[in-house]
Amino acid sequence: MSLRAATSLGSLFGTSAKPLSSLAPSVSRVSASADAPATMAVSAKGASFIRPHLRTLAPYTPIEPFEILSARLGRLPEDIVKLDANENPYGPPPEVLEALGSMQFPNIYPDPESRRLRAALAEDTGLGAEHILVGCGADELIDLIMRCTLDPGDKILDCPPTFTMYAFDAAVNGASVIKVPRLPGFGLDVPAIIEAVRRDEPKIVFLTSPNNPDGCLVSDEELKAVLELPVLVVLDEAYVEFAREPSRFDWVTKYENLIVLRTFSKRAGLAGLRVGYGAFPLGLIEYLWRAKQPYNVSVAAEVAACAALTNPTYLENVKNALVEERERMFAKLQEIPFLEPHPSHANFILCSVTGSKSAKELKAALAKEGVMVRHYEKAELRNYIRISVGKPEQTDAVIAALNKL
């Protein structure tokens, strides 16, 4: 602003306006005042704004997607046998791509209640839609449950080795984790769980059936024993379609302290669109509705999930193909001298590595052959690899690569 313009403004408002530069000394005097806090002279650092317990949080380690693997391995995506993330190799029913191609109103925010999908899930599961909540993957629902139930310093209980998102989300929410290790063979140690609940008073117990990474089931008797305890029980059934046991989705109508989670990632091949859902007692679900993000499930995700449910024959055929291939792969893995595969009720097989190579070295050697598997080197699971069940030609490729080693 020029001096003439400043003078004109002063005349307009009945004041004697000054050039802006003349204000600088007074600003300087204010910032240098003895009454100002000493910290005002130093810019706050970014980390100082972060909650203290998050400054030491170890980040979750995700599986690399195709495009990253392709660049790192120097192979085309179609030349990579990706068996490291328990994805469905057959993909979704054809109705999904058709529905996405003709999707209406992507410019409009999605239904915050996912009513079409919840109605379809009610028909699919036999449980009333009022008990069902949909999320951006089951991971979002795990975090939402913790945000709604845990105060800083509260505890959860899980049974390692198991899905590590439970411990990760607990850490994010300022909770600690009580670990009750599994028995040899990866079964639950129910007496130890009961003792830990009485001793440590966790607020939530996380159970997974089939369990990731070993594929073991939680029996009805085991689940009922834990449900008798004064805790909220979250049963993760991400892989239940591959088991020969029924889901406990409708148990939430009988148990006020039970939540059951499921997903479209494995069954319907929609891992990339992130659609999970859960069954909740009515006394709990109203509070989660209040706290969840309003537009958490995208238009595309809801359209895809609804379309997938219109072709149950495809979903059943894919499930049967993967279960059949799991049994074939298990028999083939038993013939590999340096592996000990464990029976599984999911779409993956966990193997103990017994040869001269470590699990990490074995994973690296397989990657050079274009075969991706998961390896474990933790206290609860040392020197193991997990191989996802794929198509028959993918099984043949991983067995051929193992035989070369």
Side-chain angles (χ1 to χ4, degrees), residues 249-321:
F249 211 64
D250 60 353
W251 282 33
V252 300
T253 61
K254 297 181 290 184
Y255 293 95
E256 283 287 322
N257 63 328
L258 175 65
I259 294 171
V260 181
L261 301 179
R262 294 177 65 178
T263 179
F264 280 84
S265 294
K266 321 302 178 183
R267 171 194 188 192
L270 295 180
L273 285 170
R274 313 304 300 129
V275 192
Y277 56 103
F280 299 80
L282 296 181
L284 279 174
I285 197 169
E286 66 168 300
Y287 298 100
L288 278 80
W289 274 115
R290 298 181 193 182
K292 86 168 189 69
Q293 294 293 323
Y295 306 119
N296 59 326
V297 179
S298 72
V299 172
E302 184 169 12
V303 164
C306 287
L309 291 175
T310 65
N311 194 342
T313 300
Y314 177 94
L315 299 177
E316 183 71 12
N317 289 342
V318 166
K319 178 200 77 173
N320 290 336

Side-chain angles (χ1 to χ4, degrees), residues 11-29:
S11 302
L12 180 64
F13 291 103
T15 62
S16 179
K18 298 179 181 181
L20 292 179
S21 59
S22 67
L23 298 177
S26 62
V27 172
S28 177
R29 285 195 297 273

Side-chain angles (χ1 to χ4, degrees), residues 66-118:
F66 256 146
E67 58 271 21
I68 303 300
L69 284 173
S70 177
R72 181 164 64 82
L73 298 176
R75 292 173 178 266
L76 294 174
E78 54 267 30
D79 293 332
I80 298 173
V81 180
K82 193 175 185 302
L83 301 176
D84 58 352
N86 304 335
E87 294 137 332
N88 187 326
Y90 292 96
E95 288 82 359
V96 169
L97 295 181
E98 294 170 8
L100 289 173
S102 59
M103 182 175 62
Q104 293 181 307
F105 312 123
N107 58 312
I108 303 299
Y109 285 113
D111 176 8
E113 296 183 25
S114 304
R115 277 166 276 214
R116 281 186 59 220
L117 180 52
R118 288 171 51 238

Side-chain angles (χ1 to χ4, degrees), residues 352-379:
S352 173
V353 179
T354 61
S356 58
K357 289 184 183 295
S358 69
K360 184 176 182 179
E361 291 170 332
L362 182 57
K363 171 188 167 69
L366 289 172
K368 291 180 180 179
E369 300 295 325
V371 175
M372 305 306 299
V373 301
R374 185 78 179 263
H375 88 286
Y376 297 90
E377 283 294 344
K378 296 185 177 181

Side-chain angles (χ1 to χ4, degrees), residues 215-256:
C216 284
L217 295 172
V218 176
S219 70
D220 284 356
E221 293 72 22
E222 291 170 329
L223 181 56
K224 289 176 181 177
V226 180
L227 284 167
E228 290 177 0
L229 301 171
V231 292
L232 176 61
V233 178
V234 179
L235 179 65
D236 189 339
E237 291 190 336
Y239 301 95
V240 73
E241 289 84 8
F242 305 105
R244 302 190 189 280
E245 300 293 329
S247 167
R248 281 69 168 246
F249 211 64
D250 60 353
W251 282 33
V252 300
T253 61
K254 297 181 290 184
Y255 293 95
E256 283 287 322

